Amino acid sequence: MTAPRRSERGAVLVEFALSLVLLITLLFGIVEFGLAWQDRLTLQTATRAGVRVGSNLTTNSQADYNILQAVKSAINDVGLGNVDAVVIYKSTTADGSVPSTCVSPSVHSVVATCNAYTGAQLTSIVSSQFGCGVGDLDLSWCPTVRQNLQAVGPDYLGVWIRVTHHNLTSLFGSSFKMTDSAVMRLEPLT
């Protein structure tokens, strides 16, 4: 076996450097994708936890408070500081999306349609802020007026959440928004 010529030694080093840059970029891409995927799964878990609680509590005056507590507990891995908004809304169908008036251009509650909460509210809510009284956070779509009678057809309740995912590196941007929603019918009374 012959030794490489002197002029080829530098070429190997350059090829290795180029390959290393490509491999490191690929590695960071895999890590970024994995972390984003984890946050996405956590977000889906949180929306489903919230909608399950809301479906079971039907017309309880503390339903929204308990929904938000379930969301808060389930989304902890994403970080409560990364939660932009949580909307509890009335849907017309089992696969209904959040009404655009509840999320655009900024998150706000709409009478008889949805209650919107900011991420900051999620971290500091107390049960005394709920109950559909004047100044309460759940006044726009009060849980006590939600329909859960079997003969009439129970309402569909939805939970929509928007979070900001912050990337570990800035190779693929510094952050992006993720949203998810889930809808369930309120448990009917016979």
Side-chain angles (χ1 to χ4, degrees):
M1 186 166 203
T2 61
R5 287 185 278 165
R6 196 164 201 189
S7 62
E8 292 177 4
R9 288 185 190 162
V12 171
L13 189 59
V14 170
E15 289 172 2
F16 174 73
L18 292 174
S19 298
L20 186 62
V21 169
L22 181 64
L23 288 174
I24 288 174
T25 303
L26 184 63
L27 177 66
F28 279 134
I30 290 169
V31 170
E32 290 289 3
F33 180 78
L35 292 173
W37 188 266
Q38 178 184 9
D39 283 356
R40 177 76 177 149
L41 292 175
T42 301
L43 176 61
Q44 290 174 337
T45 299
T47 56
R48 280 137 188 82
V51 80
R52 274 193 305 273
V53 167
S55 174
N56 287 329
L57 290 177
T58 63
T59 60
N60 183 307
S61 64
Q62 292 289 302
D64 279 14
Y65 172 74
N66 288 303
I67 291 168
L68 294 174
Q69 290 299 323
V71 166
K72 186 177 172 180
S73 176
I75 206 158
N76 208 29
D77 288 345
V78 170
L80 293 176
N82 295 325
V83 177
D84 299 325
V86 178
V87 176
I88 299 168
Y89 65 96
K90 180 179 183 176
S91 179
T92 55
T93 61
D95 60 348
S97 59
V98 63
S100 60
T101 55
C102 297
V103 296
S104 291
S106 61
V107 176
H108 59 282
S109 297
V110 178
V111 175
T113 304
C114 64
N115 294 321
Y117 306 96
T118 64
Q121 287 174 316
L122 186 63
T123 61
S124 62
I125 58 170
V126 292
S127 63
S128 61
Q129 296 172 303
F130 296 84
C132 302
V134 175
D136 285 344
L137 297 175
D138 59 355
L139 189 57
S140 293
W141 188 43
C142 180
T144 59
V145 299
R146 295 174 186 164
Q147 183 59 255
N148 68 336
L149 297 175
Q150 180 68 35
V152 178
D155 285 339
Y156 287 99
L157 178 125
V159 175
W160 176 88
I161 305 172
R162 181 178 62 216
V163 299
T164 300
H165 170 78
H166 297 283
N167 290 326
L168 189 61
T169 67
S170 293
L171 288 174
F172 309 102
S174 61
S175 65
F176 60 92
K177 305 281 186 194
M178 287 191 276
T179 62
D180 190 51
S181 64
V183 176
M184 285 184 83
R185 191 168 229 168
L186 294 179
E187 290 292 325
L189 292 177
T190 55

